[in-house]
Amino acid sequence: MTKAPRKSAGGGGGSLSLRVALAGAWHVVRGRSLRQLGRVLALLESVGRAAPALLRFRHMARLRLGLRAALVMRLLREAEPPGRILDALDWFFPEGEWPEAPPPPGPAQPTPRELRLVGEAQESFRDLILGLLGDPERRDEYLKFAAGLEYGDRFLGALESLFHEFLCRVEAALPPPDPKLLQELVLSHAPPRPRPLDLPILSRYLSDVGHAPRVPPLAPPPPRPRPPRRLRPLRLPPLEFIGDPEVTPPKQARPRRSPPPPR
């Protein structure tokens, strides 16, 4: 009778891959890597579709709208072509489309007031960006002063707090992590190069979501076996050979030859 394979503490491959993706997203949000926020948004929406009751509607809506607004504001700050900004605006904040209530009942179900507030926030942001694109002088003035107050460090810090709470909710629904299996998964997708001795992004993520201690440093790979070498006969006595190799031993004086006898 064959025994069923025993599950490890870290769960199956699904939870391992999800944790690695979440660690990368947390690194992006903490580091304010605005160019990579699109991937964070895609991960957030994927998890939201798979587990719609994970967060309350208001929390998920604030997080989703915040990430979308940060992506559009980055394009505006970096003076991207207006056509590209408009495309992003239409994709993230479509005109006249208000959020729909998720089907499952429970704490994630929004109230009519929450739906109205989210819809008004979407329209307000869309009107702001359209107005700035249509008035270059107003746009320059806004980017110099108001943009930093409304969508600067304070805004990104609040977004980080919302995302951290989202991560903690996800972790509460997952089995305890197995650091060794996570390390093996990360290294299996790493490019061919010398093996790292630490995985700081994964280690920081596990610590920040409450899994301490951090991932232990990886053991260095075993040294490659060297081909056998032919040992040359020692020219010096063994004790002198064991001494400091930087000291050159004195040369032994050759014995003088006695002169040949006279014939």
Side-chain angles (χ1 to χ4, degrees), residues 18-54:
L18 177 58
R19 272 200 172 98
V20 171
L22 292 173
W26 180 233
H27 178 70
V28 168
V29 173
R30 282 188 64 255
R32 312 287 168 87
S33 303
L34 301 183
R35 289 180 175 271
Q36 304 296 326
L37 286 183
R39 298 183 178 183
V40 177
L41 178 61
L43 177 63
L44 172 71
E45 293 179 339
S46 176
V47 174
R49 287 190 298 268
L54 188 66

Side-chain angles (χ1 to χ4, degrees), residues 136-149:
E137 293 184 2
R138 181 190 169 198
R139 170 181 174 176
D140 294 341
E141 184 178 357
Y142 179 84
L143 292 177
K144 286 180 181 178
F145 303 103
L149 297 175

Side-chain angles (χ1 to χ4, degrees), residues 8 10-21 174 177-178 181-182 185:
S8 62
S15 63
L16 290 174
S17 301
L18 177 58
R19 272 200 172 98
V20 171
L174 294 177
D178 187 326
L181 292 179
L182 288 169
L185 179 62

Side-chain angles (χ1 to χ4, degrees), residues 212-224:
R214 296 186 177 185
V215 178
L218 297 174
R224 296 180 179 178

Side-chain angles (χ1 to χ4, degrees), residues 195-237:
R195 185 180 185 183
L197 297 181
D198 193 12
L199 299 175
I201 295 176
L202 179 60
S203 174
R204 178 60 186 261
Y205 168 76
L206 292 178
S207 175
D208 287 349
V209 295
H211 296 302
R214 296 186 177 185
V215 178
L218 297 174
R224 296 180 179 178
R226 296 183 177 181
R229 298 171 57 186
R230 292 184 59 188
L231 298 178
R232 297 179 180 179
L234 299 180
R235 297 179 179 271
L236 301 173

Side-chain angles (χ1 to χ4, degrees), residues 12 20 25-26 30 34 41 57 60 68 98 103 107 127 152 190 192 254 259:
V20 171
W26 180 233
R30 282 188 64 255
L34 301 183
L41 178 61
F57 172 82
M60 182 64 80
R68 292 177 177 179
W98 284 44
D127 291 343
R254 294 183 177 179

Side-chain angles (χ1 to χ4, degrees), residues 47-103:
V47 174
R49 287 190 298 268
L54 188 66
L55 289 178
R56 292 186 176 274
F57 172 82
R58 187 175 180 181
H59 187 157
M60 182 64 80
R62 292 175 64 194
L63 190 50
R64 184 186 293 115
L65 290 179
L67 290 171
R68 292 177 177 179
L71 287 166
V72 176
M73 289 302 300
R74 181 190 70 80
L75 298 177
L76 195 69
R77 283 195 178 99
E78 296 182 0
E80 293 288 343
R84 186 177 181 190
I85 299 176
L86 285 173
D87 288 343
L89 189 64
D90 287 338
W91 180 260
F92 293 132
F93 298 89
E95 183 178 6
E97 289 192 14
W98 284 44
E100 296 180 359

